[in-house]
Amino acid sequence: MKSRQNELADLIGNSHVLFSCEGLAESVIVTTLVEQDLTFLDTGNIITDPLTDAYYTLERKGSSIAQQYLNQDYGSDVFVLCVQDQVEHKLSLGPTRRNGPSKDPRTQPAHQSIALNLTTHPEIEMLVICREGAADQYEHWKQSQRGKKQNKLKPSLFCKEELGMGDVKRPKFLNDYWGNGDNLVQALREYQRITNAKKQRTDFMLADLLK
């Protein structure tokens, strides 16, 4: 049986990839993964922002992504990898110009644009919790807060109140904290482990991109 990692690698193959990041933390993590060559992706096949040369876009609306990035031919399919916390998020890319150099669709195979999720549920700060070795502590904390609405028991609040890390969303913290590729890979693997253990896995995960 194929691993999810092999499944994702086979699915993408030599196609082009566009990262759509939910926020700053996701974009910093993607940048570290790409710049330190930690994924199976060919860097030359990653579509960059034409204005900043960043390896991602913060645009998350399907029609806008299609208009800005997908109305040209890359010579292959394009996989839009949505790095976000919502499970089973559905991104509609709408109509895009999918044909190659020939204007006659009968003589040129169409290239598809396909959206896939790389999910960090319930929040990207779960990776901080995993890196700090506090996954069990986080679960106990949630249990101790019974009576509060579940959407208030976010990992970011746990990081602030229990780990004393109130700056987990700030640029300087993120760049320093996730700049070390080894630490990032360790956190991604641990998050993958605990998610698989809970049988919560439906979407692909960032760890599935690793070599």
Side-chain angles (χ1 to χ4, degrees), residues 11-56:
L11 188 62
I12 293 176
N14 292 321
S15 299
H16 281 71
V17 164
L18 172 66
F19 284 99
S20 170
C21 293
E22 182 173 359
L24 180 60
E26 290 82 356
S27 68
V28 169
I29 287 169
V30 164
T31 299
T32 297
L33 288 174
V34 175
E35 290 186 344
Q36 297 188 26
D37 194 26
L38 299 172
T39 78
F40 61 74
L41 299 173
D42 180 343
T43 305
N45 286 343
I46 298 176
I47 300 170
T48 57
D49 187 297
L51 297 179
T52 65
D53 285 331
Y55 290 109
Y56 59 87

Side-chain angles (χ1 to χ4, degrees), residues 45-210:
N45 286 343
I46 298 176
I47 300 170
T48 57
D49 187 297
L51 297 179
T52 65
D53 285 331
Y55 290 109
Y56 59 87
T57 176
L58 293 176
E59 181 59 62
R60 299 182 64 216
K61 187 177 180 181
S63 59
S64 297
I65 290 174
Q67 183 178 19
Q68 293 179 41
Y69 295 96
L70 304 179
N71 276 329
Q72 59 178 298
D73 179 58
Y74 294 99
S76 71
D77 292 341
V78 176
F79 285 86
V80 179
L81 302 182
C82 304
V83 187
Q84 41 77 51
D85 57 33
Q86 184 179 351
V87 177
E88 297 183 346
H89 171 68
K90 303 296 183 184
L91 180 71
S92 175
L93 297 171
T96 57
R97 195 175 301 160
R98 295 174 182 171
N99 290 328
S102 172
K103 294 183 180 180
D104 186 348
R106 295 172 298 179
T107 61
Q108 180 66 34
H111 295 133
Q112 298 182 0
S113 301
I114 305 158
L116 297 175
N117 294 331
L118 301 178
T119 307
T120 55
H121 179 77
E123 271 192 318
I124 191 68
E125 283 77 22
M126 275 304 302
L127 297 182
V128 175
I129 292 172
C130 288
R131 178 179 163 180
E132 298 297 320
D136 289 341
Q137 184 182 346
Y138 172 61
E139 292 300 323
H140 290 316
W141 174 75
K142 286 197 299 182
Q143 291 296 320
S144 71
Q145 302 295 315
R146 285 182 178 176
K148 289 188 178 181
K149 290 185 178 180
Q150 191 68 20
N151 60 9
K152 292 184 178 180
L153 303 179
K154 294 181 177 180
S156 53
L157 180 63
F158 172 82
C159 289
K160 179 180 179 180
E161 292 191 349
E162 300 297 313
L163 301 182
M165 303 170 73
D167 53 356
V168 291
K169 294 182 181 292
R170 295 177 183 174
K172 186 179 186 308
F173 171 88
L174 291 168
N175 284 299
D176 291 343
Y177 195 77
W178 294 125
N180 183 298
D182 290 339
N183 290 337
L184 175 56
V185 168
Q186 181 181 3
L188 293 176
R189 295 289 194 202
E190 175 62 9
Y191 174 66
Q192 182 184 53
R193 185 190 68 79
I194 64 174
T195 302
N196 286 344
K198 294 178 181 179
K199 298 182 180 180
Q200 294 177 338
R201 187 168 188 180
T202 53
D203 298 326
F204 288 107
M205 307 174 71
L206 281 166
D208 295 323
L209 282 178
L210 298 175

